[in-house]
Amino acid sequence: MLEKVIENWTSRLDYILACHDDRFNSCQVIYSQFGLPIHQNDHQARRRFVELAQNEIAVVPVFHKRIFFSDEANFWLNGYVNKQNSRIWSESNPQVYVETPLHPEKLTVWCALWAGGIIGPYFFKNNEGHNVTVNGDRYRAMITNFFIPELNNHDVQELWFQQDGATCHTDCVTIDLLKDTFGDRLISHFGPVNWPPRSCDLTPLDYFLWGYVKSLVYADKPQTLDHLEDNIRRVNAGIRPQMLEKFIENWTSSLDYI
């Protein structure tokens, strides 16, 4: 586990170096998951977010420990891992292809992570109990029926909520729903605090949780989605609070680098 985490750390160093080193001005960071380069304006958005976060920490030193970072991930039954942290340096998109079955069986999983623990996993299913992908209606149902009731079990003042810019997260109905709970403490595209696009290096789920869980859930080669779901629940339940607190504390170092 530790070796895996340390190996991912070196990728983050390369990324940060490229963002601020003139030698790499002619290159773009290509995310192999989406084939999307970091845009020039992204650096400004990232810096604005970092300055806001650091100002909050200056006033409330535990600010970063009150943020629920959230995200979805797909877990394929065949063990295919979508490496969100993989980057390829190139002056143009190298068009990397990965072969997968045409209609692989998979689970779409949501979690929220903070210094105090993990809420989830939540598995997106329809009314018949079949696994489905996430859309706006299903995301709002999860927020209303799962996340908010779980959130009420935590006696922490002024909690914040972070989500990325996926369409199902950022339509007007969803943003209004989240504002009803978090007010101005919502970090999101179209939210009171803007989340900078293409910033998976700032999301503990992307640079830690999903990779860690996927490195373990396939160890016994699950043959059914139910088996895979059980493994995901078991691995998540085994993540120690001390580990999460350490990663959230290190998040502030990422702010300093940017």
Side-chain angles (χ1 to χ4, degrees):
M1 175 190 69
L2 295 177
E3 185 175 359
K4 180 71 173 178
V5 172
I6 295 299
E7 193 63 37
N8 287 340
W9 181 77
T10 61
S11 299
R12 299 180 68 206
L13 293 183
D14 292 339
Y15 167 73
I16 292 164
L17 173 65
C19 287
H20 303 283
D21 194 323
D22 291 339
R23 292 175 298 166
F24 290 89
N25 280 346
S26 63
C27 295
Q28 294 176 313
V29 182
I30 306 297
Y31 287 84
S32 63
Q33 180 189 9
F34 303 111
L36 294 176
I38 280 188
H39 302 158
Q40 185 60 39
N41 289 340
D42 292 349
H43 298 299
Q44 300 171 12
R46 285 159 59 81
R47 187 175 185 88
R48 284 194 294 270
F49 173 76
V50 165
E51 289 173 347
L52 181 146
Q54 291 184 325
N55 288 339
E56 290 286 345
I57 291 172
V59 176
V60 181
V62 294
F63 162 72
H64 56 296
K65 296 183 179 181
R66 294 179 176 177
I67 303 174
F68 274 94
F69 295 92
S70 71
D71 198 12
E72 299 93 16
N74 292 319
F75 286 74
W76 279 265
L77 185 59
N78 65 358
Y80 165 63
V81 176
N82 200 339
K83 297 182 178 178
Q84 298 192 36
N85 288 330
S86 296
R87 293 171 176 82
I88 298 168
W89 298 106
S90 175
E91 293 183 0
S92 61
N93 192 328
Q95 299 297 329
V96 175
Y97 297 95
V98 179
E99 273 191 52
T100 60
L102 183 60
H103 299 292
E105 292 186 283
K106 68 180 179 181
L107 301 171
T108 300
V109 186
W110 177 92
C111 284
L113 178 157
W114 70 306
I118 296 175
I119 290 182
Y122 177 90
F123 298 88
F124 286 94
K125 300 177 185 288
N126 60 19
N127 292 334
E128 290 74 39
H130 300 144
N131 296 290
V132 293
T133 56
V134 61
N135 60 25
D137 289 338
R138 292 165 184 160
Y139 185 72
R140 287 188 291 274
M142 180 276 297
I143 294 292
T144 301
N145 301 324
F146 175 75
F147 177 55
I148 292 177
E150 288 287 333
L151 192 65
N152 292 334
N153 295 328
H154 297 279
D155 185 21
V156 180
Q157 300 299 313
E158 297 187 342
L159 289 171
W160 292 67
F161 181 74
Q162 177 274 336
Q163 61 178 7
D164 64 24
T167 303
C168 62
H169 298 169
T170 58
D171 62 43
C172 294
V173 181
T174 304
I175 293 295
D176 288 344
L177 172 63
L178 291 169
K179 282 182 178 178
D180 286 342
T181 300
F182 295 98
D184 291 337
R185 301 186 305 278
L186 171 61
I187 304 171
S188 170
H189 188 49
F190 298 139
V193 176
N194 185 58
W195 176 252
R198 291 166 287 276
S199 293
C200 62
D201 60 315
L202 284 175
T203 310
L205 289 96
D206 280 338
Y207 67 74
F208 161 63
L209 182 66
W210 297 135
Y212 172 70
V213 174
K214 289 181 179 182
S215 71
L216 297 177
V217 297
Y218 297 107
D220 60 355
K221 296 180 172 56
Q223 298 300 307
T224 67
L225 290 178
D226 287 342
H227 186 178
L228 179 58
E229 182 176 325
D230 289 342
N231 283 0
I232 294 170
R233 293 185 187 278
R234 173 179 50 79
V235 172
N236 264 41
I239 297 175
R240 300 185 305 277
Q242 297 90 333
M243 183 187 300
L244 297 177
E245 187 171 1
K246 183 68 173 178
F247 271 92
I248 295 299
E249 197 63 46
N250 287 342
W251 184 76
T252 60
S253 299
S254 297
L255 301 182
D256 292 337
Y257 288 135
I258 292 172

